[in-house]
Amino acid sequence: MADVVIRGGWVVDGTGAPAFRADVAISGDRITEVGPLPGASAATEIDATGRYVMPGFIDTHVHGDAAVFDPEVQLAALRQGVTTFVLGQDGVSFAPADPATLAYVSRYFAPVNGRHPGLDDGPVTVAGLLAGYDRRLPLHTVYLLPHGTLRRNALGAARRAPDADELAAMLRQVERGLEEGAAGLSTGLEYFPGAYADADELAALCAPVAAAGLPYVTHMRGYEAKAGDGMAEVLRIARAGGVAPHVSHYHGPREHLIAMVDDARAEGVDLTFDNYPYLRGSSTLTLVTLPDRLPVADLDATLSALADPAVRRRLESEWTADLWPRITLSHVPADDLRWTEGLTLPEAAERAGRSPGQFCCDLLVATRLEAGCVFGQPPTNTEESVRALLRHPAQTAGSDAIYQGGHPHPRGWGAFARLLARHVRELGDWTWEQAAVHMAAHAARRFRLLDRGVVRRGFAADLVVLDPHAVTDRATYESPRTPADGVDHVLVGGVPVLAGGALTGALPGRALTPN
C-alpha cells in the first residue's frame, strides 16, 4: 500500500522524453512506481485525469531568504508549481555573518530579501540558517554562500583587495559553509561590498567550490551594453578557479549574449544561466540611482553624504532625464511616503512638489536607503531576446522574485506560470517536455540535487499536477500580488502541500544540501 497515488495523469518526466499516461505511487518521500497501477491502493489518491504530472519546479534565482516564511509567498510559489527556492543570491544574505555584518546585510538588502523573522543579533552560521528552514516550510530551500557577506565579515566596508590573512579568513568561511551544506558561491558585483572584489579574489574563493563540484553563481559586473565585460570577467574567474559558472538573470541583446555562452561552452566551460520572462527588472533604489563613488558599503556615511547640498547638486547634474520615467516605486518603508508605491518617480515627485532628483534624495534619506523599485530595462532587452535565451540549452528558469513592498514586480507571483502559459502553450518556445527540463531537471543538475528534477522510481516525490489548458499567470504590473491559476496539486517530499489550489498547512520542506 502506497501513501499517495496520483492516478491517470500524463507524466512529463523531466528527461525530455514524450509525455506518457501513467499512475505515480509514492511511499514516504520517494516515488516508488511510475506506470499502470490498477490494483494499487493508498491513503491519499489524487485524480489527475486530463492533467500533467511534472517534477516540482526549482526557482534557481529567488530572493525568498526571509519572505519564504510568509504564507502569501508560499502560496505564490506553489500555485506556480515551484517546490524549491535557491537562496543566498547576488552575494548578499544572512549567513555566515558576525553581528556587525548581519546588521549591515539585513538593512542594506532589506528592499530585496526583507528582514529574517527568526534571527537574533548574530552571529549566524550556515548550519543555523538552514536549520531554521528545515521542516518549517511547505517547500524546500537550497542556499548559496553569499560572497558579499563573507567579505563584510573579513574586510568590513573596505574598498580594496584583501590581504593574505583576510583572504585566508574568507576561504575558511567558504570551506566551512560548504561543509555545513551550502550549494555554491554567489556574487553580486554591482552590490556592495561585493563590487570591491576583483577576479583574483573571486577565483581564489572558487577553488574549494570547484573541488566540491558546485557552481559559482554571479550577478555579473554589468549587463546590457556592459555584458561583454561582465562575461569576460566571469570566464576569467571560472578558468582560474576551475569552477562551473552560472550567470544570474542573464539579459540583453540576444545575438551577443548567446554567442558568448556558445563560445564558452565550446571551450569546455560548463556555463549555464537563468532568465525570467519580463522586460522590467527590480532592485534597490540605491543600485539604480547612486554612483559607486559614494560609500554605499557604509550606509550611515551614504546617508550623511545625501544630506550634503553639494553632493545633491552633483548628483542632480549627473542624473539624466531619461532615468526617472523608467523607475516605479515598489517598496517605500516610510509611513508618510507609502502613498508613492506604484507611482513612477516623476509622478511621485510632482505630487510632492519636488524635482525628480530632489525627491529621489528625499526618499532615500526618509527610508534609510531601504527603498525598492521596478525599472524598465534598456531597449536592447527585447521580447525576442528573452525568447531566444529561453530556448538555449544552457538556460534554467529563475524568477528573481522580490516580495517586498506594496507594489512589487509581478514575477514572484507569475514567472513560472507565465513560462508555461505564454512560452509553452501560446508561443511554443518550449514543448511541455522541454519545460520540465528547463524548470526542474537542469537546475537539479546544476546544484547537485541528483535525486530530484525527474519523475522516476527512487527519486524524491516533489510533484506538480497542473491543467495544461488552464495554467496561467494573473499577476500584472498594476496588480502584482495575484496568484497564478491552473496548478491543482503540489506534493513536496511526498506530502500534499497544495490541494485544490489551497495550502494544506503541511510543512515537509527540507533544507536541501548537495548529494
Side-chain angles (χ1 to χ4, degrees):
M1 180 177 178
D3 294 320
V4 181
V5 172
I6 303 172
R7 291 201 181 278
W10 287 88
V11 174
V12 184
D13 68 2
T15 67
F20 56 96
R21 192 167 186 182
D23 305 321
V24 180
I26 300 159
S27 293
D29 66 351
R30 297 284 136 177
I31 298 168
T32 53
E33 296 289 345
V34 180
L37 303 171
S41 60
T44 300
E45 296 201 6
I46 297 171
D47 182 3
T49 303
R51 303 294 193 263
Y52 285 173
V53 181
M54 303 178 74
F57 305 144
I58 299 172
D59 193 336
T60 57
H61 190 104
V62 57
H63 294 285
D65 304 47
V68 71
F69 294 100
D70 183 347
E72 181 187 355
V73 171
Q74 297 164 5
L75 183 66
L78 294 169
R79 285 276 289 265
Q80 298 177 74
V82 174
T83 58
T84 303
F85 275 2
V86 182
L87 307 175
Q89 301 287 348
D90 292 342
V92 187
S93 191
F94 301 111
D98 61 30
T101 295
L102 180 62
Y104 169 77
V105 299
S106 295
R107 182 175 159 193
Y108 174 58
F109 237 41
V112 176
N113 281 346
R115 294 184 181 273
H116 195 294
L119 300 179
D120 54 22
D121 295 332
V124 183
T125 64
V126 171
L129 186 68
L130 294 181
Y133 296 132
D134 198 54
R135 297 196 184 279
R136 299 185 183 187
L137 301 168
L139 65 162
H140 301 309
T141 53
V142 174
Y143 189 70
L144 303 172
L145 285 167
H147 160 260
T149 304
L150 308 180
R151 194 177 213 275
R152 181 81 186 193
N153 287 332
L155 282 83
R159 189 192 290 249
R160 58 172 174 81
D163 62 28
D165 290 340
E166 290 162 341
L167 183 61
M170 283 195 283
L171 272 168
R172 288 194 296 271
Q173 292 180 73
V174 172
E175 291 164 352
R176 180 178 175 184
L178 295 172
E179 290 172 359
E180 293 179 357
L185 177 73
S186 82
T187 57
L189 300 183
E190 294 182 315
Y191 293 109
F192 299 96
Y196 301 150
D198 62 18
D200 291 339
E201 173 185 326
L202 298 172
L205 298 180
C206 281
V209 178
L214 295 170
Y216 165 63
V217 179
T218 182
H219 173 132
M220 300 190 302
R221 204 184 308 269
Y223 291 82
E224 300 294 341
K226 298 179 180 179
D229 293 339
M231 182 63 83
E233 183 181 43
V234 169
L235 296 178
R236 285 199 302 274
I237 294 164
R239 294 179 182 118
V243 73
H246 178 91
V247 178
S248 300
H249 41 65
Y250 200 43
H251 62 273
R254 64 185 186 277
E255 296 89 353
H256 189 38
L257 268 60
I258 289 173
M260 290 190 292
V261 173
D262 288 343
D263 289 348
R265 289 167 65 87
E267 294 174 13
V269 178
D270 184 12
L271 173 67
T272 56
F273 63 88
D274 59 73
N275 73 324
Y276 54 81
Y278 299 87
L279 297 182
R280 299 187 200 178
S282 181
S283 188
T284 67
L285 190 60
T286 58
L287 176 73
V288 178
T289 61
L290 295 186
D292 61 8
R293 60 179 170 76
L294 289 179
V296 182
D298 184 332
L299 300 176
D300 290 333
T302 301
L303 286 171
S304 296
L306 291 173
D308 184 338
V311 171
R312 288 191 175 213
R313 284 194 298 270
R314 182 176 176 186
L315 286 171
E316 286 210 74
S317 72
E318 295 172 341
W319 283 323
T320 58
D322 63 345
L323 169 66
W324 305 121
R326 293 171 48 210
I327 297 174
T328 300
L329 299 169
S330 60
H331 175 53
V332 183
D335 290 341
D336 57 345
L337 290 171
R338 290 190 192 277
W339 59 268
T340 64
E341 292 182 340
L343 299 178
T344 67
L345 200 143
E347 289 170 340
E350 183 178 10
R351 294 190 191 185
R354 303 281 279 167
S355 72
Q358 291 170 338
F359 187 73
C360 180
C361 290
D362 294 343
L363 190 68
L364 288 168
V365 171
T367 62
R368 293 176 54 78
L369 306 177
E370 293 184 21
C373 64
V374 174
F375 55 88
Q377 302 283 12
T380 49
N381 186 32
T382 64
E383 179 76 6
E384 291 73 23
S385 180
V386 169
R387 294 181 63 191
L389 290 170
L390 288 177
R391 292 191 292 265
H392 197 281
Q395 190 267 0
T396 67
S399 69
D400 199 9
I402 294 173
Y403 300 99
Q404 308 310 308
H407 211 88
H409 196 297
R411 61 198 184 190
W413 284 260
F416 279 72
R418 186 174 180 83
L419 287 169
L420 295 175
R422 179 165 173 75
H423 293 280
V424 177
R425 191 172 62 232
E426 296 176 16
L427 297 175
D429 292 321
W430 293 334
T431 65
W432 288 97
E433 291 83 358
Q434 290 168 335
V437 174
H438 284 267
M439 298 168 76
H442 274 350
R445 180 193 74 85
R446 176 82 290 174
F447 298 104
R448 227 176 73 211
L449 308 174
L450 302 182
D451 59 348
R452 295 172 196 276
V454 177
V455 184
R456 180 182 293 167
R457 181 177 181 175
F459 275 57
D462 300 335
L463 298 167
V464 177
V465 181
L466 60 85
D467 184 339
H469 305 292
V471 63
T472 192
D473 58 311
R474 299 295 185 194
T476 64
Y477 291 111
E478 295 71 30
S479 183
R481 292 180 173 271
T482 307
D485 286 338
V487 173
D488 304 319
H489 300 274
V490 177
L491 289 85
V492 169
V495 177
V497 293
L498 192 79
L503 296 173
T504 67
L507 305 175
R510 303 303 308 268
L512 301 178
T513 58
N515 57 18

